[in-house]
Amino acid sequence: TSREVPRRPRAAAPPEPSPVASDPEPPEETAVETVAPVPSTPVTAPTTPAPMKELTDDLSAIAISVRAGEYAEAINRLDQMDTETARAHATELHYWRGQATAGLAGRAADDEKAALRARAGLALMWVVIHDPDHDLAPQCLYVAGQLCHDARRSDQAARLWGELLHRYPDATTWTQKARDAMSQLGAAEHTNQP
């Protein structure tokens, strides 16, 4: 039997953005590829369930910067946030830092990608580890898997996506994406075997 972990919504949760695009300029359409796409699998942007008005001005500006592809600006804003805001919104800050850093990794030179992916994954996994009941945790787990996949760490990606399926069976958007990614991963492994 699968153990269901109840998720608690947060009033200050940022709206669920589309996964960070790996192209320098994301298309104007809502269908964009994620940071670490499974080859030739576009991912459409999910709808935004949480109200933007409940975020602080700083978090709103960070979210807007990430969505606009201004990742360095978002990270600069994160670094300059006051301690009180940082404590009050630690989960959201780690989420946005992970998204922004993953965006930078998508644009970075090859010799910088690994370090940026690792930093992004750590920020996203902070959410999963320290606030596993938060609504953002399933998305963070999915994107962390995508980052591993992008780094050619397919076994780790599959483990993270498997954990997503196990811990968050009701997070339908992210579990379906994880199932699709694992299916394609399995198909790719079978075509690469002698």
Side-chain angles (χ1 to χ4, degrees):
T1 62
S2 115
R3 188 186 83 156
E4 187 175 320
V5 176
R7 292 181 293 138
R8 59 187 153 93
R10 296 284 172 93
E16 191 173 288
S18 61
V20 180
S22 51
D23 295 329
E25 306 223 356
E28 293 183 26
E29 306 165 3
T30 58
V32 295
E33 288 191 333
T34 61
V35 165
V38 174
S40 72
T41 305
V43 177
T44 56
T47 58
T48 304
M52 184 79 153
K53 66 181 178 176
E54 293 187 22
L55 295 176
T56 65
D57 290 341
D58 288 338
L59 282 172
S60 295
I62 291 165
I64 289 167
S65 294
V66 170
R67 288 192 188 103
E70 298 168 355
Y71 307 121
E73 174 65 23
I75 290 172
N76 185 42
R77 286 179 180 273
L78 284 161
D79 290 342
Q80 293 180 11
M81 288 190 82
D82 63 77
T83 305
E84 185 178 323
T85 303
R87 274 193 217 122
H89 300 286
T91 298
E92 291 83 2
L93 293 178
H94 281 88
Y95 168 81
W96 288 116
R97 184 173 298 280
Q99 290 288 339
T101 307
L104 285 177
R107 296 179 180 171
D110 288 342
D111 62 333
E112 298 172 348
K113 285 183 187 286
L116 288 168
R117 283 186 192 121
R119 274 192 254 158
L122 286 172
L124 294 167
M125 289 306 295
W126 186 98
V127 174
V128 175
I129 293 165
H130 293 282
D131 203 353
D133 297 334
H134 197 286
D135 286 340
L136 292 170
Q139 180 183 2
C140 290
L141 204 46
Y142 173 78
V143 175
Q146 287 289 88
L147 289 165
C148 288
H149 180 269
D150 212 29
R152 294 190 170 104
R153 297 180 63 198
S154 299
D155 290 344
Q156 183 65 29
R159 279 194 295 276
L160 291 170
W161 291 328
E163 182 70 13
L164 169 59
L165 296 174
H166 175 74
R167 288 178 70 178
Y168 304 104
D170 295 329
T172 55
T173 299
W174 302 108
T175 56
Q176 186 58 51
K177 289 177 189 237
R179 278 188 195 96
D180 293 345
M182 289 175 76
S183 175
Q184 287 193 359
L185 189 61
E189 286 177 3
H190 290 343
T191 58
N192 292 334
Q193 292 179 355

